[in-house]
Amino acid sequence: MADDVDEIDSGYRWESSFERTWEVLVEDEQGSLKSTVDELQRARKRRVIDRKSNVRLGLMRHLYVIVDMSSAITVIDLKPNRLTATMKLLEEFITEYFDQNPISQLGVIITRNKRAEKLTDIGGNPRRHVMALQQAACRPCIGEPSLQNSLELASQTLRHVPSHASREILIIYASLTSCDPSDIHVTVKNLVDDNIRCSAIGLSAEMYILKKLASETGGSYRVILDEHHYRELLTHSIIPPVATEKLGASLIRMGFPEFRTNSHPSMCQCHLDSKIVKSFSTTGYFCPQCKAKYCELPIECQICGLSLVSAPHLARSYQHLFPLEEFEEELPRLYTKSSRCGMKNKNLLAFAIFTNAQFCESFRPIVARNATVIF
């Protein structure tokens, strides 16, 4: 009887914070855990090695993230619940998305109480998206989601994106139902006609409509197993997808605006309809063609239609087209006094040394200037 009372007071067994973390580690024949740790590291490297080279990718991505904020997001099968875990992982995803895709843009849509609400428009400022998600998480999660209303709201913007850009939708869906105003199969057909790729991550059981949506639009659909698997599925969406046959190929005119400070404040073009006082400033990026002012990059000029990017963003995007060759691991060795890196009377012991001919060749001028680079 006392055990039953203790169990009632402590809550359900799946609500507790007890984890069997030791079950992840498995000893080998010699009783060592090194093989398990190495396998976890090889799994991360395998994702990079498996990326195909010499393929056409959609580097200029326009992605809408649809988040289910209905009552199903409050379930506590993730710790502490689905909402908190999703917000934490989405903040990491947005930051990493713009780091790996600097010339891409992203927007956020939430759905709850049978409605869809656009939190942020398509843009390239990760802080704005993260702040909007944090504010939305403080509001109550009620009602049922509407998958059709969310897809229609996202497609209204994506269908006007230029043909050379990749149009994508990522759905984070927690519920097993959807309250839609009409036939959702018509919406799926329109997404296929507009060349919008839809991918979905399910937090509950598999749903037929999400599986069909991903299959017909060329996306992917997975159901999470745990928080670690949840993070991996979001990581797969960071890498630019392979371009489809419908993706247009053409020369794109780009402008490289300079960041200037004027003596008098002015409103940027991207916040003309906004009531935020902070958007009225003396600094900003000015279009080299029409001199319109913008507060963030990348963006398409609303006056002359020129794509505005920065040179470092454009250069960093080429890492997906020309990835580095696989690094080869060498045996540990003790560096001699001739290979010191500036520390007096101290030798360096390298426990894991990786070499790459292409990487070393690119850093050869740096090494020649009295510097020691250790890979």
Side-chain angles (χ1 to χ4, degrees), residues 35-53 228 232 235-236 239 323-327 354:
S35 58
T36 304
V37 177
D38 291 343
E39 180 61 29
L40 295 175
Q41 294 178 352
R42 282 194 293 268
R44 298 189 188 99
K45 297 177 183 177
R46 198 177 299 119
R47 291 197 299 265
V48 181
I49 297 173
D50 293 342
R51 292 167 56 183
K52 298 180 181 179
S53 58
H228 177 71
E232 284 192 353
T235 304
H236 292 328
I239 303 175
L324 290 175
E325 298 177 0
E326 181 182 357
F327 283 72
F354 298 90

Side-chain angles (χ1 to χ4, degrees), residues 175-348:
S175 178
L176 290 175
T177 60
S178 176
C179 186
D180 302 324
S182 60
D183 187 4
I184 193 174
H185 296 280
V186 177
T187 302
V188 175
K189 183 178 180 301
N190 294 334
L191 292 172
V192 175
D193 296 338
D194 294 334
N195 194 25
I196 300 176
R197 178 189 281 109
C198 299
S199 299
I201 297 178
L203 307 187
S204 301
E206 183 179 279
M207 291 182 60
Y208 168 76
I209 187 59
L210 289 178
K211 186 176 181 180
K212 180 180 180 181
L213 173 66
S215 176
E216 295 193 3
T217 59
S220 61
Y221 175 46
R222 296 290 186 273
V223 178
I224 67 169
L225 302 176
D226 50 24
E227 186 174 350
H228 177 71
H229 188 223
Y230 196 176
R231 180 180 281 104
E232 284 192 353
L233 293 180
L234 284 174
T235 304
H236 292 328
S237 301
I238 294 176
I239 303 175
V242 178
T244 60
E245 297 179 356
K246 297 181 179 180
L247 193 65
S250 60
L251 295 177
I252 306 171
R253 296 180 67 249
M254 288 188 172
F256 301 93
E258 59 177 334
F259 188 81
R260 295 203 314 258
T261 302
N262 292 340
S263 57
H264 54 280
S266 60
M267 181 74 74
C268 59
Q269 292 292 329
C270 46
H271 289 95
L272 285 179
D273 299 331
S274 177
K275 299 180 180 179
I276 302 176
V277 181
K278 294 182 179 179
S279 59
F280 197 73
S281 62
T282 59
T283 60
Y285 298 93
F286 291 85
C287 176
Q289 183 165 282
C290 65
K291 307 304 179 183
K293 177 185 172 181
Y294 296 92
C295 60
E296 61 185 33
L297 297 177
I299 197 171
E300 182 176 346
C301 182
Q302 300 178 6
I303 305 300
C304 60
L306 186 66
S307 296
L308 305 179
V309 297
S310 65
H313 287 170
L314 191 61
R316 283 168 51 197
S317 300
Y318 277 85
Q319 63 173 316
H320 302 291
L321 295 177
F322 308 102
L324 290 175
E325 298 177 0
E326 181 182 357
F327 283 72
E328 298 179 1
E329 186 174 0
E330 296 182 356
L331 296 176
R333 63 175 182 268
L334 183 65
Y335 283 90
T336 61
K337 295 182 180 181
S338 61
S339 59
R340 294 175 184 167
C341 67
M343 295 187 297
K344 296 182 179 179
N345 301 324
K346 290 184 180 180
N347 294 330
L348 298 178

Side-chain angles (χ1 to χ4, degrees), residues 137-207:
C138 299
R139 295 153 59 182
C141 301
I142 57 176
E144 295 182 357
S146 178
L147 181 61
Q148 184 181 20
N149 288 336
S150 304
L151 295 174
E152 290 286 353
L153 184 60
S155 62
Q156 288 176 6
T157 302
L158 293 178
R159 67 166 56 103
H160 299 293
V161 170
S163 60
H164 59 262
S166 177
R167 309 168 185 174
E168 304 174 47
I169 296 177
L170 175 62
I171 305 169
I172 309 296
Y173 212 74
S175 178
L176 290 175
T177 60
S178 176
C179 186
D180 302 324
S182 60
D183 187 4
I184 193 174
H185 296 280
V186 177
T187 302
V188 175
K189 183 178 180 301
N190 294 334
L191 292 172
V192 175
D193 296 338
D194 294 334
N195 194 25
I196 300 176
R197 178 189 281 109
C198 299
S199 299
I201 297 178
L203 307 187
S204 301
E206 183 179 279
M207 291 182 60

Side-chain angles (χ1 to χ4, degrees), residues 10-26:
S10 60
Y12 294 105
R13 203 173 285 273
W14 57 81
E15 295 180 1
S16 62
S17 58
F18 181 74
E19 291 185 358
R20 301 176 183 270
T21 55
W22 58 85
E23 293 183 353
V24 180
L25 302 177
V26 181

